[in-house]
Amino acid sequence: MSNSESKPAPGTAEQMINAGWYTELSPMWPGQGLTLKMKEVLYKSRSDFQDVCVFESESMGTVLLLDGVIQCTDRDEFSYQEMIAHIPMCSLERPAKKVLVVGGGDGGVLRELARYPHVEEIHMAEIDKMVPEVSKRFFPEMAVGFSDPRVTLHICDGIKFVEDAPADSYDLIVVDSSDPVGPAEVLFEKPFFEALHRAVRPGGIVCTQAESLWLHLDIIKALATMCSQVFVGGSVSYATTTIPTYPSGQIGMMVCAKASSAQPGGGEAGGAEGAGAPLDPRTPRQPEPGALPALGVGELQYYSHEVHTAAFALPVFAKKALAGCLTFQ
Ligand code: SPD
């Protein structure tokens, strides 16, 4: 091995492991890093796209890292997966039948979408086949979503998949991406959102991972501004959730509703708020989903209608910073 080969690459899990402790370091959260005590590294490999690492932690159960960044842990994954799935699902005016997840290869969002009996088709476009494989092996409680007969897994470029989808074909598209560095960067750019807007039906919703209020207000502002340019006549709102193992303990999602046809640039029926009004996602309209005994999925642990509405209430500093960029806040 040459000198350069023996050094761990920047941003990889090796670089962040020291004396049995893992620290999550990234230029996206400079000067800070969550540290977890490790029991054992269970898996470490390089896929065609990224470093994939799984370790057993002392306090948070099994942890999945992609390029050294925490994607999920046994202990708190339900917060993010429930919120990014149920906020948009319960906001829809009519029950979703056809849904798409872009990314999300661990399967947690699939598991949440599978709770709805009215859903007929669940598609996932995941670029990295190693992620579902590793999840099935080390995170059976998340990966259970892959066993639902309504799920089709497409290992492919999510952008191309969305671009190739027929117009107006999904009730909901969830973009469960990693951070906008590396393979997921393009999932935060305008051409992808234009393709998402085309693929979702009038009155449907696109819900995307939208980073932390404490660290990424600039990213959130730029994302909200861009989404408003794309979802003309619809609505763009930011919902938040707490999660101890994501940077600063908080992450949000951008909830973008496509105009219905009664609205400028949109499709058909007006919202419950009146014809022509953009959909207000702060109001839950569909019942809270229950357990899914067939797959061994228990009751919800984070999401409720009460939490749904509260998730759109932003702290004062964030509300000020995002003033004018969001439709409902
Ligand atoms: N900072 C990490 C953000 C990761 C968001 N996606 C996680 C995937 C969980 N299904």
Side-chain angles (χ1 to χ4, degrees):
M1 210 182 232
S2 73
N3 267 352
S4 62
E5 279 167 339
S6 62
K7 279 191 200 149
T12 61
E14 291 100 306
Q15 198 197 37
M16 305 172 185
I17 292 169
N18 187 13
W21 291 79
Y22 154 83
T23 301
E24 185 186 51
L25 301 174
S26 164
M28 281 201 64
W29 38 93
Q32 68 180 66
L34 175 78
T35 299
L36 294 175
K37 188 160 192 201
M38 303 172 82
K39 279 188 180 165
E40 190 188 355
V41 175
L42 302 171
Y43 183 85
K44 202 149 58 79
S45 185
R46 169 108 203 138
S47 75
D48 291 340
F49 301 94
Q50 54 205 341
D51 278 317
V52 180
C53 176
V54 179
F55 71 88
E56 193 58 32
S57 70
E58 196 140 302
S59 57
M60 302 306 286
T62 314
V63 181
L64 172 66
L65 307 179
L66 296 180
D67 279 343
V69 172
I70 297 175
Q71 300 303 309
C72 32
T73 83
D74 277 342
R75 169 113 187 265
D76 63 0
E77 55 86 12
F78 62 83
S79 154
Y80 171 82
Q81 326 260 33
E82 288 186 15
M83 292 290 272
I84 202 168
H86 303 311
I87 284 186
M89 280 296 268
C90 288
S91 301
L92 286 168
E93 288 184 320
R94 55 170 205 254
K97 289 191 174 161
K98 189 171 171 182
V99 296
L100 168 65
V101 181
V102 178
D106 52 70
V109 174
L110 290 182
R111 175 195 66 203
E112 295 309 317
L113 295 172
R115 291 177 186 271
Y116 295 89
H118 49 74
V119 170
E120 293 168 3
E121 290 178 49
I122 309 175
H123 294 269
M124 169 172 280
E126 163 62 56
I127 199 163
D128 191 344
K129 72 173 175 10
M130 192 181 280
V131 180
E133 284 167 6
V134 162
S135 186
K136 286 176 192 169
R137 188 165 153 202
F138 296 104
F139 297 91
E141 288 177 13
M142 267 183 339
V144 74
F146 289 107
S147 315
D148 190 284
R150 296 165 294 174
V151 169
T152 309
L153 172 60
H154 309 263
I155 298 294
C156 63
D157 175 358
I159 299 186
K160 174 128 184 22
F161 188 88
V162 174
E163 282 170 352
D164 291 347
D168 304 339
S169 51
Y170 292 98
D171 296 290
L172 166 66
I173 304 177
V174 175
V175 184
D176 180 12
S177 70
S178 42
D179 299 311
V181 280
E185 201 171 342
V186 281
L187 301 181
F188 287 75
E189 291 173 359
K190 194 170 185 182
F192 179 52
F193 278 80
E194 287 167 340
L196 290 166
H197 180 264
R198 203 190 118 274
V200 77
R201 68 156 169 89
I205 293 181
V206 171
C207 186
T208 71
Q209 193 272 94
E211 299 298 345
S212 168
L213 293 171
W214 291 105
L215 295 160
H216 307 124
L217 269 177
D218 289 352
I219 295 176
I220 298 168
K221 200 171 174 169
L223 187 63
T225 305
M226 181 266 282
C227 289
S228 303
Q229 289 162 1
V230 173
F231 285 78
V232 177
S235 63
V236 175
S237 313
Y238 180 94
T240 174
T241 191
T242 65
I243 176 158
T245 61
Y246 282 171
S248 291
Q250 179 267 332
I251 198 165
M253 49 231 73
M254 205 61 79
V255 185
C256 306
K258 183 166 167 174
S260 63
S261 61
Q263 295 157 238
E268 199 168 86
E273 298 84 2
L279 184 130
D280 182 346
R282 296 172 298 184
T283 307
R285 297 173 183 83
Q286 302 298 327
E288 291 168 10
L292 185 60
L295 293 186
V297 178
E299 299 294 336
L300 293 171
Q301 298 180 78
Y302 195 100
Y303 177 88
S304 67
H305 280 173
E306 198 181 359
V307 168
H308 177 133
T309 300
F312 290 91
L314 296 184
V316 174
F317 76 92
K319 200 167 173 163
K320 275 190 187 155
L322 298 171
C325 304
L326 298 165
T327 318
F328 296 109
Q329 227 83 53

